[in-house]
Amino acid sequence: MDKKKLTQKTSWFWKWFLNSQVVVALIIVLLLLLIALVFTKVSYLFEPVGQFFAIVGLPIVIAGILYYLMNPVVNFLESKGLKRTFAIVLLFIVVVALLIWGIVVIIPQIREQIGSMMKSLPGYFDTISDKISEVFKDPSFKPFQEHIDNSLQKILESLTDTAQKLSRVTLQGLGSVVSTLATVVIALITAPIILFFLLKDGDQLAPYILKLLPTKARKPTLRVMTEMNSQLASYIRGQLTVAFAVAVMFIVGFSLVGMNYAITLGILAGFLNLIPYLGSFLAMVPVVFIALVTGPIMLVKVIIVFAIEQTIEGRIVSPLVLGNQLEIHPVTIMFVLLTAGKIFGITGVILGIPFYAVAKVIAIHVFEWYKGVSKLYEDEEETPVE
């Protein structure tokens, strides 16, 4: 009798706990959290690794972006009978020639326009201040004049304190500025070397990684890596192509309407367009500010240019170049941008979406694997209706 009760208890415990997929999954999650907790306690052991990736991370990112841009061109030249190494060297020569042309032709114009803009900023602020003062001098604002004056005084004091704090932070941060410049210089030197070997031997990287994995894991891992590579390639090529098209459209549009600093503002708009949804709005802030100071007619012209650019980009350029490849909801994109921007700054804003796309691919495949292993998501067999 006792043996029978023990067998029943053991069977019940086995059924509800040891043989439960949910309990096993919770135990696995608990173990992963415990491992993460242990890692936080010995994080100092990984500081050298973090410093290493802080040094090599920027050149790897730059080389990776350029790889996705240049690899199709290298493949095309190779398909035409040119050896891959010669095709890479030829493409490097073309890129260096374009950079030299940009430094000789474009950079001086941008520098001149930025210098002129900096000299004109005090006058722009004075003009805006005078216009605001004229508005507030209207008799209808007289009952609120004292409150308005106090508010303006507080704003000026706040701006003064902020400027003083920024100057102190700038002086204290000279060391970090030097460190950042050193990192950028190292990146500019090492990124072309990494890029060359990526273009030359990049196709052999996936097979080499797969050899390190168990045999059964190779096919699913290759499938995940292929999809991740496709997502990154489409996003990077698409976003950079659209950004270039936006910069060209704004430069042409601003030049036609006689807008000051057309080249600088157009390039700024193209760069900011790398930020989904928010980029176009941010690009128009300095443009509208300068147009307001110039006059109402210029403001109308700028709004027309912006409307035409948005129509061409939204109806022609983006659908043709980007399509709907990432399949990410706009609300999700906003949350990713806000979170990545808060944690990693401007780098997170620019790289947050592609990293989210990669993480999404991994999460989907892991979930599909878990569905098959756990058997918790199998469809119930339909019971026949009598």
Side-chain angles (χ1 to χ4, degrees):
M1 179 68 71
D2 294 338
K3 187 176 181 180
K4 186 176 180 181
K5 288 182 179 179
L6 182 61
T7 304
Q8 290 176 351
K9 290 181 180 179
T10 305
S11 301
W12 176 84
F13 183 76
W14 175 267
K15 179 179 178 181
W16 290 98
F17 288 94
L18 297 180
N19 199 35
S20 173
Q21 297 289 345
V22 176
V23 174
V24 171
L26 292 175
I27 292 174
I28 292 173
V29 171
L30 179 61
L31 290 174
L32 291 175
L33 292 176
L34 288 175
I35 292 172
L37 178 63
V38 171
F39 278 147
T40 59
K41 300 301 181 182
V42 294
S43 58
Y44 59 90
L45 296 175
F46 300 96
E47 288 183 1
V49 180
Q51 293 174 358
F52 172 76
F53 281 106
I55 295 173
V56 303
L58 182 59
I60 289 176
V61 170
I62 295 174
I65 293 173
L66 294 176
Y67 168 78
Y68 284 117
L69 285 176
M70 299 171 65
N71 192 52
V73 181
V74 174
N75 291 337
F76 173 78
L77 294 175
E78 189 179 19
S79 67
K80 297 299 180 181
L82 195 63
K83 288 186 177 180
R84 191 168 186 85
T85 304
F86 292 156
I88 296 171
V89 172
L90 178 62
L91 189 57
F92 270 47
I93 293 173
V94 173
V95 170
V96 170
L98 289 175
L99 288 174
I100 294 173
W101 174 80
I103 293 172
V104 173
V105 178
I106 303 296
I107 298 299
Q109 296 186 36
I110 295 175
R111 184 178 59 194
E112 182 181 352
Q113 290 186 3
I114 291 176
S116 176
M117 190 186 302
M118 291 298 150
K119 291 179 182 178
S120 304
L121 276 179
Y124 289 157
F125 283 117
D126 291 340
T127 304
I128 294 292
S129 177
D130 293 341
K131 290 183 178 180
I132 293 174
S133 299
E134 290 178 4
V135 172
F136 286 142
K137 285 179 182 178
D138 190 274
S140 58
F141 286 97
K142 191 172 183 180
F144 310 100
Q145 191 66 40
E146 184 177 354
H147 179 70
I148 292 172
D149 291 340
N150 292 334
S151 299
L152 291 175
Q153 184 65 29
K154 290 179 180 179
I155 291 172
L156 289 175
E157 291 176 357
S158 176
L159 290 174
T160 303
D161 293 340
T162 303
Q164 292 175 353
K165 290 178 181 178
L166 284 175
S167 63
R168 287 196 297 268
V169 170
T170 302
L171 290 174
Q172 294 172 358
L174 285 177
S176 62
V177 170
V178 173
S179 176
T180 303
L181 288 175
T183 304
V184 171
V185 171
I186 293 173
L188 293 177
I189 294 173
T190 56
I193 301 173
I194 298 173
L195 175 61
F196 177 83
F197 286 104
L198 277 177
L199 291 171
K200 184 175 180 294
D201 303 320
D203 295 338
Q204 302 175 13
L205 183 60
Y208 178 79
I209 295 174
L210 292 175
K211 289 180 181 178
L212 304 176
L213 300 177
T215 306
K216 292 183 178 180
R218 290 177 184 176
K219 286 186 178 179
T221 304
L222 179 62
R223 188 164 56 250
V224 173
M225 292 175 65
T226 303
E227 192 170 340
M228 288 167 51
N229 183 67
S230 175
Q231 292 277 328
L232 283 175
S234 355
Y235 181 82
I236 291 174
R237 292 170 191 161
Q239 284 295 113
L240 291 177
T241 304
V242 172
F244 178 76
V246 167
V248 172
M249 285 189 288
F250 272 124
I251 290 173
V252 173
F254 291 156
S255 300
L256 290 176
V257 300
M259 181 73 180
N260 293 329
Y261 324 118
I263 296 178
T264 302
L265 294 174
I267 293 175
L268 178 63
F271 177 77
L272 291 175
N273 198 75
L274 295 174
I275 306 173
Y277 297 102
L278 298 177
S280 298
F281 171 77
L282 295 175
M284 287 306 296
V285 171
V287 177
V288 170
F289 176 77
I290 296 174
L292 276 172
V293 176
T294 306
I297 297 177
M298 180 57 69
L299 179 61
V300 173
K301 291 180 180 179
V302 164
I303 293 174
I304 293 173
V305 170
F306 181 71
I308 294 173
E309 183 276 332
Q310 284 291 296
T311 302
I312 296 174
E313 179 191 352
R315 299 292 179 87
I316 300 175
V317 178
S318 292
L320 288 176
V321 176
L322 289 175
N324 194 25
Q325 294 161 336
L326 292 183
E327 297 180 353
I328 302 176
H329 196 277
V331 176
T332 305
I333 291 178
M334 294 298 294
F335 279 119
V336 171
L337 291 176
L338 293 174
T339 306
K342 178 67 176 178
I343 298 174
F344 302 106
I346 186 64
T347 305
V349 172
I350 295 175
L351 300 179
I353 301 301
F355 276 101
Y356 171 80
V358 170
K360 180 182 176 183
V361 170
I362 297 174
I364 289 174
H365 283 274
V366 169
F367 183 65
E368 291 296 329
W369 168 82
Y370 176 72
K371 283 169 63 177
V373 171
S374 66
K375 299 180 181 179
L376 295 174
Y377 298 86
E378 292 181 350
D379 296 334
E380 295 182 358
E381 294 183 1
E382 295 183 1
T383 56
V385 181
E386 296 181 359

